[in-house]
Amino acid sequence: MSHRLVLSTNHAVAYAVKSCDVDVIAAYPITPQTTVVEKLSEFVADGELDAEYIAVESEHTALSVVIGASALGARTFTATSSQGLALMHELLFIASTMRLPVVMSIANRSLNMPLNIHCDYQDMMASRDCGWVQIYVSSAQEAHDTIIQAYRLAERSDILVPVAVCYDGFVLSHTYEPVEIREKEEVLRFLPRFKRPNVLDLERPITMGVMALPDYAYEFKFQLIDALTKVPRALEEVDKNFEEEFGVSYGLYEEYKAQDADILLVTLGAIASTAKIAVDKLREEGVKVGLFRPRLYRPIPVDVWKEKLRSAKILAVVDRAISFGAIGGPLFTDIVSVFANESDRPLMMDFIAGIGGRDVTIKELMDIVRMSGKVLQKGRVEKACIYYGVRGVEYE
Amino acid sequence: MSSMFKSLKDLPRVEYFSAGHRLCQGCPEGIIARLVTKALGPNVIVVTPTGCLEVSTSVYPETAWKVPWIHVAFENAAAVASGVEAGIKALKRKKLGFVDKKVHVVALAGDGGTADIGLQALSGALERMHNFIYVCMDNEAYMNTGIQRSGTTPFKAWTTTTPIGAKWRGKLQPKKDMASIAAAHRTPYVAVASISHPLDFVNKVKKASEVEGPAYVHVQAPCPTGWRFDPSKTVEVARLGVLTGMWILYEVEMGKFRVTVPVPRRKPVRDYLMVQGRFRHLTEEEIAEIQKYVDAEVERVNKLMGYEVIGPVVT
């Protein structure tokens, strides 16, 4: 039987990891992730979770330990934020190209400099090409459930790709909400144990992490590309099975009043929750505005995004990360690329906001929609990327 | 210990590291990999960081490894070994794998991957007391990238980044003492070994596998390519290292220091240095300076032992 607790998103993640009966956890403290692994160490110390808890000396080692254990066939977990994720960078690519079903939670935090412990998505966005499945969630419950879904997805024999579950540092990581806890027995029914074929095995020794020269290296990479193309469909199946077991589903995206929207806010994570209130208020004023929140960010479910975003007249993307020197933020450039070969496409604008944890308020989101409305009236985007809210910068 | 090998003939005939790898002619790393796996037997998982051994034994679609083997990156062999060891423990306890099996986890790493870029990961793994064996094959430079200086390059040795010029005379600093660093972690078993004394070496690996917790074995790996000597002389160069007192064979077992191969009469360091091209530039004064270093180290070791285990230079 499930029960309900009031938990921060970080603790909701820890409870999910416990229910998944993870074998090896390696972690290093970093704000705002730390309370995930603090909680997990308590579970292990109290005998509530039978796992090896390795308190390592760096995030680089955290992911290395998890890679070693996962290569052996163990179910593994780590968590990080910001600089910690940056320190793991080379290993992110190694875990995915070694096809290890590692699951990691990321309480997203700004990257130095300036040192800043608050939320933006610069940490994960800087590593978005690493070959991991990247899911952005917008509540403690969704984080809890997505960790469980992540193992099911990652461990599928047709996938075998690591999964990152991302959520806004502090805004979500330290915010307490009621969470329906999925108990171990029911989770393990959903997430059965099985022996992966290609692991470090004494009976059937294999060589892992090989060198491949120009004659074979490309094919290694392509196998990951191929697996990633299967992820959207696979996640839908996992989500459906999850609904059958637990009565909740999340899909590849969330939309809110999007069906008839002329102006569509597109944003990830916690801002999307605030955006719903902004949408409601603007709807009362008669503005035809809606919200589209991608949940699966990598691999991009191209057809889904295309279908869902095409009907709007203008997309107001709110990007919580900067792609320095690019035409806009990461989410924006992705969406632009989705429509690259389409003649029938909406106008697209990018509003980079919430950097370094700066609050993105209902009022500001309403302002963003109104600015987009004016551009829509003109019928032409003159300035695609607005660094919204920066001191001393004029927009109009 | 009773389970020690009495002669090399006690080693298993079966090969776990096969011929046909791509190591250079005369490379000691093949000898080391072969001896280590023979000493540990089939229930072993080998972790190798990026380096000569890795690139020469795992080029797809071939492999030289007949035991489970993993390479992840350059600086993290000890971390990956930690994960493998922890995974074995967890899976055993949950009866999900390795049931009733004693599995040895061994890292086979170069000096760069150990003493420089990998030192943090190694220090962490030693401190956390993982039950694993770490073997550092010390060829005293970054040989895989073409003979660049590492922390374990000896004083005055030539490398491509410690060239002999008007101002530089090879490496300006002495060698990093990795075994002492490992021992300073209160590592249950630390040893220094040489391929010129293979029985001593395999018994150290064996002992390393029998202690509870981590063990560190530092083995010299004379590199014909980087040290500039004939590939047929690898073992001879190693032996000269031992006989000149430049490579003292010892172990530190639960903190207790012991020289395992006494050298009653030492050869002068010149005999070791002059067979290697990397020391060809040395002047008489410089050789004398190195001799002084070695004499002091021998004195320190003899003091630790309480008697003269390494004797005076006899020409």
Side-chain angles (χ1 to χ4, degrees):
Chain A
M1 278 302 290
S2 63
H3 65 289
R4 189 175 265 231
L5 293 174
V6 176
L7 297 176
S8 68
T9 300
N10 276 351
H11 284 177
V13 164
Y15 272 89
V17 171
K18 183 176 84 158
S19 293
C20 292
D21 191 34
V22 163
D23 304 316
V24 176
I25 298 159
Y28 190 76
I30 186 166
T31 305
Q33 165 281 125
T34 310
T35 59
V36 178
V37 297
E38 274 179 0
K39 194 76 194 164
L40 283 168
S41 70
E42 281 174 30
F43 289 147
V44 175
D46 292 340
E48 291 179 43
L49 169 59
D50 184 5
E52 288 295 310
Y53 182 96
I54 318 292
V56 292
E57 84 295 334
S58 75
E59 288 90 352
H60 193 280
T61 288
L63 192 49
S64 300
V65 165
V66 156
I67 285 171
S70 185
L72 195 80
R75 189 172 279 170
T76 59
F77 179 79
T78 186
T80 194
S81 298
S82 183
Q83 306 303 126
L85 186 63
L87 189 56
M88 289 178 176
H89 186 71
E90 62 162 347
L91 296 160
L92 294 173
F93 288 75
I94 289 170
S96 61
T97 46
M98 284 181 88
R99 308 293 300 281
L100 299 173
V102 171
V103 172
M104 166 157 63
S105 72
I106 297 161
N108 295 104
R109 165 183 151 182
S110 190
L111 276 181
N112 293 2
M113 297 307 283
L115 192 148
N116 176 303
I117 58 169
H118 294 280
C119 176
D120 60 41
Y121 300 145
Q122 199 72 52
D123 49 5
M124 189 69 243
M125 289 300 174
S127 292
R128 64 191 184 276
D129 288 341
C130 68
W132 286 48
V133 174
Q134 293 154 46
I135 300 174
Y136 284 79
V137 302
S138 74
S139 72
Q141 184 70 61
E142 190 186 347
H144 181 78
D145 291 346
T146 302
I147 291 286
I148 299 163
Q149 293 191 351
Y151 281 105
R152 172 83 178 245
L153 177 70
E155 291 176 0
R156 274 174 61 135
S157 60
D158 61 337
I159 302 296
L160 291 174
V161 176
V163 180
V165 178
C166 307
Y167 50 91
D168 306 54
F170 288 112
V171 178
L172 285 177
S173 68
H174 286 61
T175 301
Y176 283 70
E177 295 176 51
V179 177
E180 199 77 39
I181 301 295
R182 316 299 175 194
E183 298 297 343
K184 183 175 156 183
E185 303 74 52
E186 45 184 10
V187 169
L188 291 186
R189 222 171 25 241
F190 173 75
L191 196 63
R193 290 280 190 172
F194 67 98
K195 203 164 159 58
R196 264 187 280 142
N198 294 318
V199 292
L200 297 169
D201 182 356
L202 298 173
E203 314 304 324
R204 191 178 153 271
I206 60 165
T207 296
M208 296 183 80
V210 301
M211 182 176 191
L213 295 168
D215 52 351
Y216 282 110
Y218 195 8
E219 281 71 24
F220 271 77
K221 309 277 187 202
F222 190 78
Q223 289 186 354
L224 175 60
I225 294 166
D226 192 43
L228 285 168
T229 60
K230 295 174 188 152
V231 165
R233 169 70 59 84
L235 181 56
E236 279 178 332
E237 286 168 12
V238 166
D239 196 45
K240 192 164 170 287
N241 293 334
F242 190 86
E243 187 178 16
E244 284 159 13
E245 186 72 42
F246 301 104
V248 195
S249 74
Y250 297 93
L252 303 184
Y253 60 89
E254 182 189 7
E255 54 183 350
Y256 186 69
K257 301 191 177 173
Q259 299 296 333
D260 63 336
D262 290 337
I263 305 167
L264 198 56
L265 280 164
V266 185
T267 191
L268 302 165
I271 293 177
S273 308
T274 317
K276 284 184 199 169
I277 304 167
V279 166
D280 284 342
K281 284 183 185 279
L282 287 161
R283 282 272 174 180
E284 280 169 26
E285 293 174 16
V287 182
K288 283 174 83 178
V289 58
L291 165 74
F292 181 81
R293 172 175 74 89
R295 179 170 177 254
L296 176 63
Y297 174 68
R298 280 289 188 278
I300 300 173
V302 177
D303 295 337
V304 175
W305 285 17
K306 223 183 256 181
E307 184 204 325
K308 291 290 160 190
L309 301 178
R310 198 201 294 271
S311 56
K313 292 184 176 145
I314 186 164
L315 303 179
V317 179
V318 181
D319 248 308
R320 200 164 202 175
I322 302 165
S323 181
F324 292 103
I327 61 162
L331 182 58
F332 176 73
T333 48
D334 284 336
I335 291 169
V336 169
S337 71
V338 161
F339 285 105
N341 291 315
E342 304 292 315
S343 51
D344 171 24
R345 63 184 178 197
L347 298 175
M348 292 176 255
M349 283 190 72
D350 193 21
F351 297 86
I352 294 186
I355 300 302
R358 190 166 293 181
D359 202 14
V360 182
T361 63
I362 299 164
K363 199 165 149 278
E364 285 168 340
L365 288 164
M366 290 170 72
D367 183 38
I368 283 169
V369 171
R370 288 199 186 98
M371 285 169 78
S372 308
K374 279 183 197 160
V375 172
L376 180 58
Q377 270 174 3
K378 276 190 206 157
R380 202 164 79 80
V381 177
E382 275 161 14
K383 194 170 186 221
C385 179
I386 308 284
Y387 291 91
Y388 186 84
V390 179
R391 279 190 192 83
V393 174
E394 299 292 330
Y395 312 114
E396 291 168 276
Chain B
M1 266 183 252
S2 57
S3 61
M4 293 295 114
F5 301 107
K6 291 194 179 59
S7 98
L8 287 181
K9 286 181 183 155
D10 292 346
L11 287 175
R13 301 300 284 258
V14 53
E15 302 290 344
Y16 304 107
F17 177 79
S18 63
H21 51 72
R22 303 172 186 210
L23 291 163
C24 299
Q25 251 192 359
C27 177
E29 295 198 345
I31 302 171
I32 294 166
R34 191 164 165 251
L35 289 176
V36 167
T37 47
K38 276 176 182 279
L40 296 175
N43 291 342
V44 68
I45 295 175
V46 180
V47 180
T48 302
T50 313
C52 288
L53 186 65
E54 174 258 332
V55 301
S56 305
T57 61
S58 76
V59 183
Y60 187 83
E62 291 157 5
T63 179
W65 298 95
K66 296 182 176 181
V67 289
W69 179 93
I70 183 170
H71 154 250
V72 175
F74 193 6
E75 67 286 64
N76 65 354
V80 174
S82 303
V84 171
E85 184 257 8
I88 292 169
K89 262 194 194 134
L91 294 185
K92 260 188 172 184
R93 201 167 55 232
K94 293 179 170 184
K95 303 213 177 344
L96 293 168
F98 304 99
V99 183
D100 304 324
K101 278 241 165 75
K102 162 95 179 142
V103 189
H104 301 299
V105 179
V106 62
L108 279 176
D111 49 289
T114 300
D116 292 349
I117 199 168
L119 184 57
Q120 174 182 318
L122 174 60
S123 174
L126 294 177
E127 180 271 330
R128 292 189 304 268
M129 287 294 222
H130 291 282
N131 195 11
F132 78 119
I133 309 154
Y134 193 102
V135 178
C136 173
M137 306 171 291
D138 187 3
N139 57 25
E140 303 189 325
Y142 291 87
M143 298 311 183
N144 192 36
T145 45
I147 326 168
Q148 290 79 34
R149 166 208 199 278
S150 80
T152 69
T153 301
F155 186 47
K156 292 198 181 292
W158 165 89
T159 68
T160 58
T161 52
T162 54
I164 315 306
K167 296 200 168 177
W168 287 5
R169 303 279 302 161
K171 194 190 181 196
L172 304 173
Q173 306 83 6
K175 180 182 173 74
K176 189 186 282 191
D177 182 359
M178 236 348 274
S180 295
I181 292 170
H185 287 72
R186 306 288 188 268
T187 302
Y189 187 76
V190 174
V192 174
S194 172
I195 52 166
S196 63
H197 294 69
L199 189 61
D200 178 72
F201 176 36
V202 292
N203 277 326
K204 281 171 175 167
V205 173
K206 182 89 175 145
K207 233 183 208 182
S209 74
E210 287 172 0
V211 294
E212 270 302 309
Y216 178 86
V217 179
H218 195 90
V219 58
Q220 196 191 34
C223 169
T225 310
W227 296 12
R228 302 293 197 232
F229 62 80
D230 189 275
S232 66
K233 306 286 183 209
T234 305
V235 177
E236 272 176 51
V237 170
R239 182 171 297 113
L240 283 169
V242 175
L243 296 181
T244 55
M246 288 205 75
W247 197 267
I248 298 171
L249 302 181
Y250 67 87
E251 63 184 13
V252 185
E253 201 175 353
M254 301 308 283
K256 195 173 176 320
F257 179 92
R258 185 175 79 91
V259 172
T260 57
V261 177
V263 182
R265 293 188 304 170
R266 241 186 317 147
K267 287 181 184 289
V269 293
R270 167 197 301 280
D271 292 10
Y272 173 71
L273 299 172
M274 287 299 99
V275 294
Q276 303 173 48
R278 64 174 173 158
F279 291 116
R280 192 163 31 206
H281 58 282
L282 294 184
T283 61
E284 284 306 317
E285 292 76 46
E286 286 169 326
I287 293 172
E289 199 183 345
I290 294 170
Q291 183 67 63
K292 254 199 338 216
Y293 261 120
V294 173
D295 291 346
E297 180 61 11
V298 166
E299 199 185 323
R300 187 184 72 85
V301 164
N302 284 339
K303 252 189 203 144
L304 275 173
M305 289 296 286
Y307 66 98
E308 192 181 88
V309 64
I310 310 285
V313 175
V314 179
T315 45

